[in-house]
Amino acid sequence: MTRPRILVVGAGFAGVECVRRLERRVSPGEADLTLVTPFSYQLYLPLLPQVASGVLTPQSIALSLRRSKRYRTRIIPGGAIGVDLASKVCVVRTITDETVNERYDYLVLAPGSVTRTFDIPGLVDNAFGMKTLAEAAYIRDHVISQLDLADASQDPAERSARLQFVVVGGGYAGTETAACLQRLTHAAVKRYPRLDPALIKWHLIDIAPKLMPELGDKLGRSAQEILRRRGIEISLGVSIDKAGPTEVTFTDGRVVPTRTLIWTAGVVASPLIATLGAETARGRLVVAPEMTVPGHDGVFALGDSAAVPDLAKGGDAVCPPTAQHAMRQGKVVADNVIAALRGEPMRPYEHKDLGLVVDLGGKDAVSKPLGLELHGLPAQVVARGYHWSALRTGVAKTRVLTNWALNAFAGDDFVRTGFQARRPAKLKDFEYTDAYLTSEQVRAQVEAAGPEG
């Protein structure tokens, strides 16, 4: 008899925690483990703005999946683009653009999320995202190149446009991105004696009436004050009306000449979820408290793409798409897969939110651990302490700690790599949201491959 096949889709916080626990608790003879992911690393997403600003190197937050001594999971380098739940087949497009059918007995769906966009003219063609390691590295190159080009330009209008930067999204990603990159340009401009520092202008805009409302009024105002003291112009109740290659029009009518538009206005569940034909809630897959998909034996979903009931809050609340929930859900799903494999009872997921941390760079931060409101250096200690402790490997912890120390004492060299200088690098080019199949295409793909394809 063949061993049961456990297929995990996604190598984010949820998927990796699930795989690691399965490797520890399932014997090699009990089941085969397979992971579908384009990259053989787990990206520590909350520190991505620090990669974009050069505080951390890209490698320091890309945690290799192959370092584990218990590593025995087969990795398929690609992305899941469709699932046929009836046939128990996951359709995968590899990094070489081959399409393969991967059969499973137990399926764990943790494909994460993609950047939420709207039907705004020019947005996907002219905006940068902040969701992948490649995007963060590219944005760093791009921002430094704007300083280089402004310094070399003889046209005052061009110089002014290249030194204006717009970040859309007043959540954690957008706020930290604007804060970290503003510090980068503020430090870098000292090396450009021909540039007037007053020309550098950062805009942070959000359609919501408050910046990071989850922090509460007091900490939210504290964060705004920190950013405004640095010269970041914050506009709330405002979004983008249209985006062009050389200017951005706000919904309040303002036109900002700029070559840099960074879009971080939220996330939505991976388009993979739409291929399942299963029930969703606001785009996220509806699951039971045990994170099973109703009506489909052996199928589990968690993380950003699943509407996991938040039992700690009760009512109709679902868990927010945060790293701390995803990591803990991964462990519970692994235990429930094992329980299903062995015919044992499953347990529901329940976790009380531990709080929030926002690193604004340098000594600036706002944090709310266990409901305690902090700002300034104490908040920064908590924020970086939390991120450091959450890194999965000792190697990653050492690299991050070394990078922080080196940057604090030696600063930045403001070097751009240039390796992506001739490649398109806007929103549409990094997240491949047009790669997914429809339900009908998935069915056709499975039927064409035959019963063993």
Side-chain angles (χ1 to χ4, degrees):
M1 294 180 63
T2 59
R3 291 186 296 271
R5 295 163 292 191
I6 302 174
L7 179 64
V8 179
V9 174
F13 290 104
V16 169
E17 287 295 329
C18 179
V19 167
R20 288 291 175 248
R21 199 170 184 90
L22 288 171
E23 286 183 329
R24 289 193 297 269
R25 300 197 172 188
V26 176
S27 65
E30 193 174 6
D32 292 329
L33 304 178
T34 302
L35 175 65
V36 177
T37 174
F39 308 104
S40 58
Y41 62 76
Q42 176 198 352
L43 177 63
Y44 192 81
L45 201 63
L47 292 178
L48 208 55
Q50 295 191 34
V51 171
S53 64
V55 174
L56 298 176
T57 61
Q59 188 182 11
S60 63
I61 68 166
L63 287 66
S64 172
L65 301 180
R66 301 186 187 274
R67 290 192 68 95
S68 172
K69 294 179 180 178
R70 298 185 181 89
Y71 167 74
R72 61 183 175 87
T73 300
R74 169 180 165 239
I75 296 178
I76 301 177
I81 58 173
V83 177
D84 187 334
L85 295 174
S87 300
K88 292 197 170 187
V89 173
C90 179
V91 182
V92 179
R93 181 167 293 162
T94 70
I95 58 175
T96 55
D97 278 336
E98 295 177 80
T99 302
V100 297
N101 291 351
E102 191 67 24
R103 297 190 173 272
Y104 63 84
D105 297 293
Y106 298 92
L107 176 64
V108 178
L109 292 167
S113 56
V114 297
T115 301
R116 179 182 61 182
T117 58
F118 301 98
D119 190 19
I120 298 173
L123 177 64
V124 296
D125 293 318
N126 296 296
F128 301 101
M130 182 60 80
K131 200 77 171 65
T132 68
L133 199 59
E135 281 176 311
Y138 188 93
I139 286 174
R140 173 176 165 77
D141 267 19
H142 171 81
V143 169
I144 295 174
S145 72
Q146 298 314 297
L147 296 175
D148 289 342
L149 292 166
D151 183 63
S153 177
Q154 303 299 321
D155 182 353
E158 179 191 357
R159 187 180 302 120
S160 176
R162 290 194 182 280
L163 297 179
Q164 291 210 68
F165 306 89
V166 179
V167 179
V168 183
Y172 305 109
T175 301
E176 290 187 338
T177 296
C180 291
L181 287 173
Q182 185 275 336
R183 280 180 58 85
L184 170 68
T185 56
H186 177 74
V189 75
K190 298 173 184 176
R191 313 295 175 89
Y192 295 84
R194 294 181 66 250
L195 293 181
D196 180 359
L199 289 177
I200 297 180
K201 296 179 181 178
W202 281 87
H203 302 263
L204 176 60
I205 73 172
D206 194 279
I207 195 66
K210 295 180 181 179
L211 199 67
M212 297 180 292
E214 298 88 345
L215 284 173
D217 290 341
K218 184 178 178 182
L219 285 183
R221 285 195 302 270
S222 178
Q224 286 190 52
E225 289 170 6
I226 291 170
L227 298 181
R228 282 180 171 144
R229 280 202 305 268
R230 291 192 194 169
I232 298 176
E233 184 176 323
I234 300 172
S235 301
L236 300 175
V238 177
S239 188
I240 296 296
D241 187 52
K242 60 181 177 180
T246 59
E247 66 179 27
V248 173
T249 303
F250 294 177
T251 52
D252 62 4
R254 282 179 291 165
V255 178
V256 176
T258 181
R259 308 296 170 87
T260 309
L261 171 61
I262 302 174
W263 180 268
T264 64
V267 297
V268 293
S270 166
L272 177 67
I273 299 305
T275 73
L276 304 178
E279 184 182 357
T280 59
R282 295 186 178 180
R284 300 169 75 182
L285 195 61
V286 172
V287 296
E290 296 78 14
M291 289 171 284
T292 55
V293 178
H296 301 283
D297 290 340
V299 180
F300 301 79
L302 66 162
D304 291 7
S305 286
V308 180
D310 192 340
L311 299 183
K313 291 183 179 178
D316 297 328
V318 297
C319 296
T322 62
Q324 63 174 289
H325 277 291
M327 293 168 71
R328 289 164 175 81
Q329 288 170 7
K331 295 176 180 178
V332 175
V333 161
D335 289 343
N336 286 345
V337 170
I338 295 169
L341 186 66
R342 298 172 182 171
E344 298 170 354
M346 302 181 194
R347 66 185 176 98
Y349 171 76
E350 184 172 1
H351 167 66
K352 186 176 181 180
D353 204 309
L354 297 178
L356 305 163
V357 295
V358 182
D359 188 337
L360 300 175
K363 297 179 181 179
D364 295 327
V366 289
S367 300
K368 196 175 182 180
L370 302 173
L372 179 64
E373 295 187 345
L374 302 172
H375 58 85
L377 188 57
Q380 183 63 283
V381 171
V382 170
R384 294 203 170 181
Y386 172 79
H387 289 315
W388 184 82
S389 64
L391 292 166
R392 187 171 46 80
T393 69
V395 171
K397 290 180 179 180
T398 302
R399 284 181 177 144
V400 166
L401 199 60
T402 302
N403 285 175
W404 279 337
L406 188 61
N407 185 265
F409 288 106
D412 199 324
D413 289 325
F414 314 112
V415 173
R416 51 189 173 91
T417 61
F419 71 95
Q420 289 179 310
R422 299 294 179 184
R423 296 176 62 85
K426 298 302 190 292
L427 271 169
K428 65 176 184 177
D429 301 304
F430 277 113
E431 298 193 32
Y432 307 106
T433 52
D434 57 350
Y436 296 86
L437 305 179
T438 64
S439 299
E440 293 75 17
Q441 289 172 325
V442 173
R443 168 50 48 189
Q445 167 70 23
V446 172
E447 290 177 350
E452 298 300 324

